[in-house]
Amino acid sequence: RYEKIWLSFGILSLILFLTIIGINAFGQNHTPAGGMMTIDPKKVDQTPPFDHPGVVKLDDNRYQVAIVGMAFGYKPSQIRVPAGKEIIFKVTSADVTHSFTIIHTKVNMMAVPGQINTKSYTFQKPGKYLILCNEYCGSGHQFMQTEIEVY
Ligand code: CUA
């Protein structure tokens, strides 16, 4: 008789456990308060806009740039955007936490697996700007950099 009780208890616990996992999984698909967007880090290359990383013109005044950080670089490696237009950077990571930091600008974002971080910036002057990873991400961290060309 005791075995039966323990067995039921075990099954109940299992059901409870699975329900909690289910609720958590469901919660992952919602945008939490604060506007942070989530993404499945294993499906970054299948999830818009990161399935086609790079620059997209939204309208005459706005451009969107989707960037994927990964050890130890950025996708795409070449970025060209116009000066004097609003550039909306959307950043995520395909592996560990990196940063997307454009030197001498206010753009300094974490690139976090499972998250999409957004920052809007307007470059006033054409030129080349250095992009660095400021977040230690492994043995190649100090080589993780690229350039953005503003025309
Ligand atoms: Cu990526 Cu440090």
Side-chain angles (χ1 to χ4, degrees):
R1 209 185 315 116
Y2 280 114
E3 286 86 345
K4 264 193 178 169
I5 292 172
W6 279 113
L7 187 64
S8 331
F9 180 72
I11 290 169
L12 270 176
S13 308
L14 186 66
I15 289 169
L16 185 69
F17 179 68
L18 290 175
T19 306
I20 290 170
I21 288 182
I23 290 168
N24 278 336
F26 182 72
Q28 296 281 320
N29 293 324
H30 288 253
T31 306
M36 190 186 77
M37 299 279 291
T38 59
I39 182 172
D40 183 341
K42 291 185 206 75
K43 292 186 179 156
V44 167
D45 57 357
Q46 300 156 44
T47 309
F50 304 104
D51 53 343
H52 294 104
V55 184
V56 173
K57 185 175 179 177
L58 299 176
D59 57 43
D60 282 347
N61 295 307
R62 295 183 313 148
Y63 290 71
Q64 175 181 279
V65 187
I67 295 135
V68 181
M70 62 192 67
F72 298 99
Y74 299 95
K75 225 195 219 174
S77 52
Q78 301 288 323
I79 306 170
R80 284 184 85 243
V81 293
K85 306 281 185 188
E86 182 184 4
I87 313 295
I88 301 158
F89 292 99
K90 288 189 180 288
V91 174
T92 191
S93 167
D95 43 40
V96 299
T97 298
H98 303 276
S99 91
F100 178 82
T101 304
I102 309 178
I103 300 301
H104 303 310
T105 72
K106 283 183 288 185
V107 182
N108 183 13
M109 274 188 283
M110 303 289 270
V112 182
Q115 284 184 25
I116 301 171
N117 289 333
T118 301
K119 177 87 182 175
S120 174
Y121 189 75
T122 302
F123 293 93
Q124 301 302 335
K125 280 189 285 183
K128 289 197 169 161
Y129 294 73
L130 185 62
I131 298 169
L132 288 179
C133 179
N134 265 342
E135 190 69 23
Y136 182 75
C137 53
S139 59
H141 163 69
Q142 66 268 36
F143 305 114
M144 185 163 171
Q145 60 179 61
T146 187
E147 240 177 21
I148 182 164
E149 187 187 343
V150 178
Y151 59 91

